[in-house]
Amino acid sequence: MKVLVVGGGGREHAICWKLAQSPKVTQLFCAPGNAGIAQVATCVPIKATDVDGMVKWAVENKMDFVMVAPDDPLALGMVDALEAAGIPAFGPRANAAIIEASKAFSKELMKKYNIPTARYETFTDLDKALSYIREQGAPIVVKADGLALGKGVVVASTVEEAETALREMMQDKKFGASGSTVVIEECMVGPEVTVLAFCDGEHLVPMLSSQDHKRAYDGNKGPNTGGMGAFCPSPNYTPEVAEFCVKNIFQPTVAALKAEGRPFKGVIYFGLMLTKDGPRVVEYNARFGDPETQPILSMLDTDLMDIFEACVNSTLDKVDIKWKDGAACCIVLASGGYPVSYQSGYPISGLDEAGKKATVFHAGTKLNDKGEIVNAGGRVLGVTATGADLPDAIAKAYAAAKPISWTDMHMRTDIGKV
Ligand code: AMP
Ligand code: GLY
């Protein structure tokens, strides 16, 4: 099969790395890809959000299957457009990807179908939102409705902080149109766990549980990022928690989307908080998480192409999905200054040595005109190792990351430990 993966980060490298191992996949392409992905797939210079360009290329080059990984092309209807052009595509259609693209939609869905989540109200009027915040008091959580690169959420510990966040979103349009509608919700407390699940519109198969680390610095300090590292499985996700989540959250979500005429095919990302009153949904995403995908796919034994096809063909109940024993850990190596501002173009050394000890997924890299691999994004690499248990996987990932360096490189030293 000729397969195209859409995207160009660490998540897409992990997906390409796994698909390249499938005997079914004879030719693998990735658009736009990056310098690491180029080692396992042919990169195609089309932007992930260029729906028309992507479909045109896929048709002209006779792709048998397309996997759309990032949130924005899903929300823009890339899967719908590929299907209309007769190409099977993995990922939700726009009308199901809305569970990530609109927080107001997903909160309403949860309310309607009794899926446990934080109490909330939705606002389009700044004054009403401000008076609601003053009435509720702090701590309180303010969220821009639409996609905001994972940065449209403010967990405010004071009313003033919440008011500032609201003004930035609704008045100053910090996140553009994404902030015209805001969701204000109760602040929940407890450990966070992520569960990704394959879905075929009707059936759902959860993957191993995982946790990521969103803050930039050690001790969960500093600004929110896309994720500075991740590991799986999560020790907090006990069999009892899993049973509750499948019954009260995962299956009801898939059934709710189907009942609403928005059957979900692809990966649902359940961001969960284990509160003292039980697991609650923090957020839904309509895709694989990044960096969670790197450790998770490192633990997958089953052919990923078989799973993707089963999701598209609604035959997921016929696939036996198997995982390795033990654990996996991914350490993100970032450009100094990320997520605020950083310099790109520094040559990276130590990649070959690191690659002997672990899998080094590339997130933001490219080749310069001298043929050197240089940093080309905020998150640059995801050094990912599997081990007999979590401490072993963490130790192996850090040992593998050690020889890698470039000017101003930054990583957290406590991934998996806090
Ligand atoms: P989200 O983009 O919705 O995942 O939010 C980003 C982060 O904000 C989450 O991973 C949580 O740590 C935090 N967060 C979001 N909603 C809440 C909430 N209702 N209570 C406490 N923390 C929250
Ligand atoms: N790591 C968080 C996300 O992918 O949304």
Side-chain angles (χ1 to χ4, degrees):
M1 289 174 82
K2 286 167 92 169
V3 177
L4 168 67
V5 173
V6 175
R11 164 184 56 204
E12 289 78 9
H13 191 178
I15 292 166
C16 287
W17 168 83
K18 190 67 192 168
L19 286 177
Q21 297 166 29
S22 169
K24 282 187 174 169
V25 179
T26 48
Q27 286 186 63
L28 185 60
F29 301 87
C30 185
N34 63 38
I37 294 174
Q39 294 162 7
V40 289
T42 305
C43 294
V44 184
I46 302 174
K47 266 175 53 184
T49 46
D50 179 0
V51 176
D52 293 343
M54 199 67 76
V55 175
K56 186 164 172 277
W57 186 90
V59 170
E60 280 172 8
N61 292 277
K62 303 195 169 53
M63 289 300 116
D64 298 304
F65 196 94
V66 179
M67 189 284 164
V68 183
D71 51 358
D72 5 330
L74 291 168
L76 289 169
M78 190 178 279
V79 167
D80 312 51
L82 286 160
E83 285 176 353
I87 300 179
F90 179 89
R93 295 179 188 153
N95 74 352
I98 192 172
I99 60 162
E100 173 168 7
S102 168
K103 291 194 195 286
F105 173 88
S106 61
K107 293 298 287 189
E108 221 151 282
L109 186 83
M110 287 184 260
K111 191 187 261 180
K112 181 167 171 190
Y113 292 89
N114 263 324
I115 297 166
T117 187
R119 264 185 304 111
Y120 76 102
E121 290 291 335
T122 302
F123 295 91
T124 49
D125 181 275
L126 177 64
D127 289 332
K128 287 197 181 129
L130 285 170
S131 53
Y132 180 75
I133 281 179
R134 288 173 198 141
E135 190 185 295
Q136 294 291 313
I140 194 153
V141 181
V142 181
K143 300 186 174 185
D145 175 51
L147 299 177
L149 293 170
K151 297 179 186 91
V153 174
V154 175
V155 181
S157 45
T158 63
V159 170
E160 293 72 49
E161 209 184 316
E163 287 182 1
T164 307
L166 260 188
R167 288 208 167 84
E168 283 178 355
M169 287 177 197
M170 301 184 85
Q171 211 165 45
D172 311 341
K173 301 277 176 225
K174 191 170 174 187
F175 303 108
S178 289
S180 335
T181 301
V182 295
V183 170
I184 301 179
E185 63 180 41
E186 156 201 14
C187 187
M188 303 186 286
V189 183
E192 285 186 64
V193 174
T194 296
V195 178
L196 311 186
F198 294 110
C199 303
D200 70 357
E202 175 124 26
H203 314 98
L204 159 142
V205 180
M207 303 180 213
L208 292 181
S209 62
S210 61
Q211 279 177 243
D212 77 343
H213 296 268
K214 289 201 168 74
R215 300 300 195 99
Y217 310 127
D218 280 10
N220 292 328
K221 299 215 167 64
N224 255 321
T225 69
M228 293 299 296
F231 60 88
C232 75
S234 162
N236 293 320
Y237 193 71
T238 61
E240 296 73 45
V241 172
E243 196 188 326
F244 178 93
C245 290
V246 169
K247 188 160 160 248
N248 299 288
I249 297 177
F250 305 162
Q251 281 171 348
T253 300
V254 174
L257 285 163
K258 189 175 172 219
E260 294 288 314
R262 301 168 183 271
F264 193 103
K265 294 185 177 191
V267 171
I268 303 191
Y269 173 120
F270 296 94
L272 305 167
M273 197 169 276
L274 309 181
T275 74
K276 64 175 179 18
D277 302 319
R280 300 269 183 276
V281 176
V282 177
E283 63 162 343
Y284 291 131
N285 290 329
R287 53 170 173 85
F288 278 103
D290 193 354
E292 294 92 331
T293 301
Q294 290 87 311
I296 291 172
L297 291 187
S298 300
M299 296 290 287
L300 178 65
D301 265 339
T302 309
D303 186 331
L304 186 58
M305 197 60 225
D306 284 343
I307 303 175
F308 284 170
E309 285 192 290
C311 290
V312 170
N313 299 331
S314 298
T315 53
L316 196 52
D317 55 325
K318 309 272 187 320
V319 188
D320 185 15
I321 299 181
K322 292 213 161 68
W323 303 95
K324 294 185 203 315
D325 290 331
C329 178
C330 168
I331 317 290
V332 169
L333 310 187
S335 299
Y338 170 75
V340 183
S341 66
Y342 51 84
Q343 299 287 322
S344 310
Y346 297 121
I348 302 170
S349 59
L351 284 169
D352 289 343
E353 206 183 327
K356 288 180 196 145
K357 297 191 185 133
T359 311
V360 182
F361 294 117
H362 290 222
T365 62
K366 67 174 190 195
L367 286 178
N368 67 10
D369 20 352
K370 291 189 211 147
E372 297 164 322
I373 295 179
V374 300
N375 71 320
R379 293 189 289 177
V380 178
L381 301 166
V383 181
T384 309
T386 55
D389 55 20
L390 187 54
D392 186 39
I394 295 168
K396 284 185 171 141
Y398 274 110
K402 209 159 182 197
I404 300 180
S405 74
W406 72 88
T407 306
D408 295 342
M409 183 192 100
H410 165 67
M411 68 173 161
R412 280 183 57 163
T413 62
D414 59 355
I415 299 302
K417 297 171 195 162
V418 286

